[in-house]
Amino acid sequence: MKQTFTILLLLFSTGLLFAQNKITFEVKEESGESLIGASVIIEGTTTGTITNNEGFARLENLPNGEIEFVISFVGFEEKEITLSFPDDNNKTIEVELEEGEELEEVVIAATRSSRTIQDIPTRIEAITGEELGEKAAMNSTNIGMLLRETTGVHMQQTSLSSGNMSIRIQGLDGRYTQILKDGMPLYGGFAGGLSIMQIPPLDLKQVELIKGSNSTLYGGGAIAGLVNLVTIRPEEEAKLDVMLNQTSALGTTGNLFYAQKYGKVGLSVYGSANNQIAFDPDEDGFSNMPKAQTFSLNPKFYYYFNPNTELSLGLNTTIDNRTGGDMEVIKGNTSTEHIFSEENKSERYATQLSFRNTTDDRTFSFKNSVSYFDRKLSIPDYRFSGNQLSSFTEAIYNLHKNDNTEWQLGLNHYLEQFTETDADSYSARDYTHNTFGGFIQNTTDFSKKLGLETGLRTDYNADYGTFVLPRFSLLFKPNNKLSSRLGGAMGYKLPTIFTEDAERIYYRDIQPLSKDLVDAETSIGGNFDINYKTALGDEMTFSINQLFFLTQLKNALVLREDETMGMAYFESADGNILSSGFETNIKLTYDDFKLYLNYAFVNTELQYDNINNQKPLTPKHNAGAVLFYEIEEKWSAGYEVYYTGKQFDNLYNQKTDYWTMGIMIMRHWERLSLFVNFENFTKVMQSDFEPLVLPPTNNPTFPDIWAPADGFVFNGGIKLRLSGDND
């Protein structure tokens, strides 16, 4: 009996030995380039590996019989291959993946060139797909958090009472960043820091970010860079999403998005409502988050004349009321000691018209947007109100001379008209900016390894003259692991009184701009980056992007306060602002884990008034790490930690550095996702270091905000996908 058992054991072991097959896959794209980090998985299991630096993936210890392998790579069509063992044992199978729809979704719109992010010479950062959905869940009220977690971007809160927030790219003020929606400027000017607060993220397909001087693309304003918000378009299959969110900071948000194409007609509707109860986490008697009610409704209608011709018309409506300040006043308990509050009431109405006709090698497009923004700002003894009418019109002719060359010629017109409605005749600060421009742009691929994008814009403004703005971007890809971009451009910004410094004093006692004292702000800048990706072993990938940047700003608008005269005025600086530094981004993947590491060194110097100081409220050192775990269509979880270095306030007092941490968890089902987010759970607050409000209570002073004001915030919510696919 013992001998029989031994013989059976030997036979069983021998069978296993002969069943231990192996196979090698060589994965390439259509051009013949090897794909590094492509996944090779046995269908229905989690067993698999990724391709190495040469594009090879090897699997061993495979049993006898038929096995189905799934080969995939981001941006390419998935391929399934069935092999039979032991017949196919120890073979090398060559697999060619075709570019797929996933890659097409990352086509960049900001440069008007129909190219993917990998192939466009201009350096662009895009937030898409799952990453965009996760960040939207972390804050469904506005895009502030979405942008804040981008390397080299700093979200600066400009008011404790209103919660206003400004985006700073590479150390430059928010007014130097141009915010677009589907390629049309809709925000800025009098809207100031309210712009970021009034843009909810649920209807966005992707967010494109171009850093550095780029007024050549869309005209004045993009000295620090531009942000293009690309909305979701209707498809044949209906898409209906509902998101509900509640925070521990007493904020409630509801979002709804619907889109569908019906034959020749398409429709999308986005609605968002937010209610924020005044929140005082440090219990100093003043709100750190204002009482706010915000409502947005954005319907958009599409008509498809034929497969090549399309017309769309949209309307954006936002109504926002917010009151911050003394908590007793907000509650309605006004007294001699409790009188201070800041109230902001605003309404925004904007239209978007777009027409596009495409043939095999030519495209004509026409865009127009008209925006009306009305705002009333009140404190106890002062009121500032006005309305801003803005319009943008653009006509573009796009010619694909061949597969390697693309030309774009365009004309556009900008109008920005501000009318102050609560001012004495001698102090009214009305203005009208009428700007006409024309541009030409060329994108050429000299080879598979070398591409160049060049552009030239000329703008004319009746008050400030002519601006000639050249631009170039060079892309070099020596192999599939390494790529590099070099770019440079010029920019300009027409002066207005709407700056962060003016917002800080509520525009009070600021004199109208004098053409004898101010001129248009101009800039020149450049950047250079290197991107490298590789596979580390069979299950890990590594990529790094190293960026260097430099921007010089001339004629910077400086606010002067004359306390003896009780007035303030603007003048152009007698020197420059120089912003330079570098950004490092690293990504490591292993199985279901992703690790993102980033660091930004931002050295922004004020080189005027016989000083050479670091710009206030601009930390030189910022770093972050995000560890993300995902089981597709089941679980997502992330842990993040961010470091903000020392900085100066506007009185040049140095402030301490600090760390913040957060945790996000999402559980996915077919039509439902639940999420919780613990933001700043270490409870870092500026009031831990110094007061956010200085006495007396009835006439308070608010120091600069340089650290989190709201402390730890927990938010949780639910997202329902009531129709459409489950992506």
Side-chain angles (χ1 to χ4, degrees):
M1 186 70 178
K2 185 175 180 181
Q3 290 178 335
T4 303
F5 178 77
T6 303
I7 292 171
L8 289 173
L9 183 61
L10 287 172
L11 289 172
F12 181 70
S13 301
T14 304
L16 284 178
L17 180 64
F18 284 113
Q20 290 179 356
N21 303 289
K22 51 190 174 183
I23 192 72
T24 301
F25 291 93
E26 183 181 7
V27 185
K28 299 180 178 180
E29 55 181 300
E30 292 176 287
S31 65
E33 289 281 344
S34 298
L35 287 175
I36 301 171
S39 297
V40 180
I41 304 292
I42 296 177
E43 174 67 20
T45 75
T46 58
T47 302
T49 184
I50 61 174
T51 54
N52 62 18
N53 291 335
E54 285 73 43
F56 289 94
R58 185 179 178 88
L59 290 169
E60 298 180 344
N61 301 323
L62 301 172
N64 286 334
E66 284 195 351
I67 299 178
E68 186 175 340
F69 298 90
V70 180
I71 299 94
S72 62
F73 190 75
V74 175
F76 289 80
E77 295 284 358
E78 192 177 87
K79 182 167 286 190
E80 297 179 357
I81 295 176
T82 302
L83 300 176
S84 179
F85 297 96
D87 295 343
D88 293 315
N89 182 39
N90 210 23
K91 287 185 177 180
T92 298
I93 308 296
E94 186 174 305
V95 181
E96 185 178 281
L97 297 184
E98 298 178 356
E99 292 184 359
E101 294 182 0
E102 191 170 351
L103 185 63
E104 293 173 1
E105 292 181 356
V106 199
V107 172
I108 295 302
T111 62
R112 307 184 184 86
S113 177
S114 56
R115 289 179 172 235
T116 64
I117 193 169
Q118 293 93 342
D119 297 327
I120 199 162
T122 300
R123 185 184 188 276
I124 298 176
E125 298 173 39
I127 304 172
T128 62
E130 292 178 356
E131 183 183 5
L132 184 59
E134 289 148 9
K135 291 182 182 294
M138 293 168 72
N139 185 350
S140 61
T141 306
N142 58 69
I143 62 171
M145 180 174 292
L146 185 152
L147 295 171
R148 186 184 69 194
E149 296 184 354
T150 303
T151 311
V153 175
H154 181 65
M155 300 306 299
Q156 176 62 48
Q157 187 172 340
T158 55
S159 169
L160 183 71
S161 299
S162 68
N164 285 6
M165 191 176 294
S166 177
I167 177 174
R168 290 188 174 184
I169 297 179
Q170 295 175 344
L172 297 176
D173 283 354
R175 71 178 185 275
Y176 301 124
T177 296
Q178 198 169 41
I179 301 179
L180 316 172
K181 192 167 190 179
D182 292 323
M184 289 181 258
L186 292 178
Y187 307 97
F190 187 27
L194 288 174
S195 293
I196 297 296
M197 307 302 294
Q198 296 177 348
I199 308 174
L202 191 62
D203 67 334
L204 300 181
K205 173 185 176 181
Q206 65 191 45
V207 176
E208 303 166 352
L209 180 63
I210 304 179
K211 298 173 182 175
S213 294
N214 272 288
S215 294
T216 307
L217 287 171
Y218 288 92
I223 284 177
L226 64 86
V227 177
N228 186 33
L229 309 171
V230 183
T231 56
I232 299 170
R233 297 170 58 85
E235 302 289 346
E236 296 289 346
E237 189 172 10
K239 181 179 179 65
L240 177 58
D241 292 342
V242 177
M243 181 183 287
L244 302 174
N245 183 285
Q246 177 65 47
T247 78
S248 62
L250 311 179
T252 305
T253 304
N255 294 279
L256 181 145
F257 178 75
Y258 169 76
Q260 188 173 10
K261 186 177 179 182
Y262 312 85
K264 287 195 170 185
V265 175
L267 176 68
S268 68
V269 180
Y270 181 47
S272 176
N274 169 254
N275 182 67
Q276 174 67 54
I277 298 174
F279 186 55
D280 179 22
D282 53 8
E283 299 180 347
D284 63 357
F286 282 76
S287 63
N288 292 26
M289 298 178 70
K291 172 185 175 183
Q293 294 83 37
T294 305
F295 172 76
S296 296
L297 181 63
N298 304 331
K300 196 168 186 178
F301 171 81
Y302 297 80
Y303 186 77
Y304 311 96
F305 295 91
N306 54 56
N308 299 322
T309 307
E310 174 189 305
L311 175 71
S312 67
L313 177 63
L315 174 65
N316 298 329
T317 301
T318 301
I319 298 173
D320 184 85
N321 295 323
R322 53 187 60 223
T323 303
D326 192 313
M327 292 292 289
E328 292 299 319
V329 177
I330 296 172
K331 294 174 184 177
N333 302 325
T334 304
S335 65
T336 305
E337 286 298 314
H338 301 282
I339 61 172
F340 180 84
S341 69
E342 178 186 341
E343 186 175 22
N344 276 275
K345 293 185 177 182
S346 66
E347 298 180 11
R348 184 199 307 276
Y349 306 97
T351 61
Q352 287 182 296
L353 173 68
S354 177
F355 174 82
R356 184 180 179 90
N357 175 260
T358 303
T359 61
D360 291 339
D361 60 351
R362 292 174 174 82
T363 299
F364 172 76
S365 62
F366 175 84
K367 293 181 178 181
N368 172 263
S369 68
V370 179
S371 174
Y372 174 83
F373 180 77
D374 182 88
R375 180 183 177 190
K376 298 176 176 63
L377 187 163
S378 303
I379 56 176
D381 57 347
Y382 181 70
R383 176 184 174 95
F384 177 56
S385 65
N387 57 69
Q388 178 180 294
L389 179 66
S390 306
S391 73
F392 168 75
T393 305
E394 178 182 78
I396 303 175
Y397 180 72
N398 189 309
L399 173 63
H400 293 265
K401 191 172 182 181
N402 51 54
D403 291 339
N404 299 323
T405 303
E406 183 178 354
W407 287 92
Q408 294 166 344
L409 296 91
L411 298 171
N412 54 30
H413 170 253
Y414 287 88
L415 169 69
E416 183 174 299
Q417 183 179 71
F418 172 74
T419 304
E420 192 168 356
T421 55
D422 243 359
D424 299 326
S425 58
Y426 71 90
S427 63
R429 290 159 286 194
D430 302 359
Y431 68 85
T432 299
H433 287 162
N434 247 314
T435 306
F436 297 87
F439 63 90
I440 182 171
Q441 182 172 298
N442 172 260
T443 307
T444 299
D445 293 326
F446 297 105
S447 67
K448 291 183 178 180
K449 296 183 177 181
L450 188 65
L452 178 66
E453 189 169 78
T454 56
L456 179 66
R457 166 183 287 274
T458 300
D459 278 3
Y460 172 73
N461 178 269
D463 294 319
Y464 295 96
T466 301
F467 304 90
V468 180
L469 307 168
R471 168 180 174 267
F472 82 93
S473 296
L474 181 69
L475 169 63
F476 179 54
K477 296 193 296 184
N479 54 55
N480 65 335
K481 298 181 188 178
L482 184 66
S483 64
S484 180
R485 288 175 170 87
L486 175 67
M490 299 179 69
Y492 77 96
K493 172 71 175 174
L494 298 179
T496 72
I497 66 168
F498 302 117
T499 70
E500 292 177 18
D501 289 335
E503 179 90 25
R504 177 172 50 84
I505 61 172
Y506 313 106
Y507 307 103
R508 189 172 190 168
D509 299 324
I510 296 178
Q511 302 302 299
L513 296 183
S514 168
K515 293 181 182 178
D516 295 330
L517 296 176
V518 301
D519 201 351
E521 300 172 274
T522 60
S523 69
I524 183 170
N527 58 70
F528 170 70
D529 84 317
I530 300 174
N531 191 74
Y532 177 75
K533 60 181 180 179
T534 187
L536 302 175
D538 293 336
E539 297 183 350
M540 184 178 291
T541 65
F542 168 82
S543 65
I544 181 171
N545 180 269
Q546 182 64 54
L547 168 71
F548 300 91
F549 64 87
L550 177 70
T551 300
Q552 184 185 67
L553 175 63
K554 295 183 178 181
N555 300 325
L557 210 57
V558 180
L559 180 64
R560 309 293 191 188
E561 296 184 60
D562 190 333
E563 295 182 1
T564 59
M565 297 290 292
M567 57 176 282
Y569 62 93
F570 281 102
E571 68 176 4
S572 295
D574 57 5
N576 301 322
I577 296 178
L578 184 66
S579 179
S580 61
F582 61 86
E583 300 175 11
T584 304
N585 288 278
I586 296 173
K587 178 182 177 182
L588 283 165
T589 67
Y590 177 77
D591 197 19
D592 295 325
F593 291 90
K594 298 176 184 177
L595 176 63
Y596 301 88
L597 303 171
N598 66 71
Y599 171 74
F601 174 76
V602 181
N603 184 33
T604 307
E605 296 180 348
L606 305 182
Q607 300 176 336
Y608 56 81
D609 292 348
N610 297 316
I611 60 174
N612 195 339
N613 292 330
Q614 173 78 358
K615 190 177 185 302
L617 303 177
T618 309
K620 277 190 177 183
H621 305 281
N622 292 275
V626 178
L627 179 62
F628 191 73
Y629 173 74
E630 180 180 27
I631 299 178
E632 190 172 352
E633 298 181 359
K634 288 187 178 181
W635 286 98
S636 301
Y639 168 77
E640 57 187 23
V641 55
Y642 293 100
Y643 170 76
T644 301
K646 295 179 180 180
Q647 55 190 301
F648 296 94
D649 64 12
N650 279 293
L651 298 176
Y652 291 101
N653 298 312
Q654 190 177 70
K655 304 302 178 180
T656 186
D657 53 355
Y658 60 88
W659 295 81
T660 58
M661 301 181 188
I663 295 176
M664 186 274 293
I665 302 172
M666 298 184 73
R667 177 65 167 98
H668 307 283
W669 290 273
E670 183 179 359
R671 297 290 181 187
L672 169 68
S673 293
L674 298 178
F675 56 88
V676 291
N677 180 49
F678 303 85
E679 189 69 20
N680 189 11
F681 65 81
T682 51
K683 300 182 181 180
V684 175
M685 294 184 65
Q686 182 169 323
S687 53
D688 294 335
F689 307 102
E690 65 179 28
L692 280 165
V693 183
L694 300 178
T697 302
N698 58 5
N699 187 25
T701 302
F702 299 94
D704 295 320
I705 301 174
W706 51 269
D710 48 5
F712 165 65
V713 176
F714 164 83
N715 88 274
I718 180 173
K719 182 176 181 180
L720 298 171
R721 294 173 293 278
L722 301 179
S723 60
D725 57 37
N726 302 319
D727 294 338

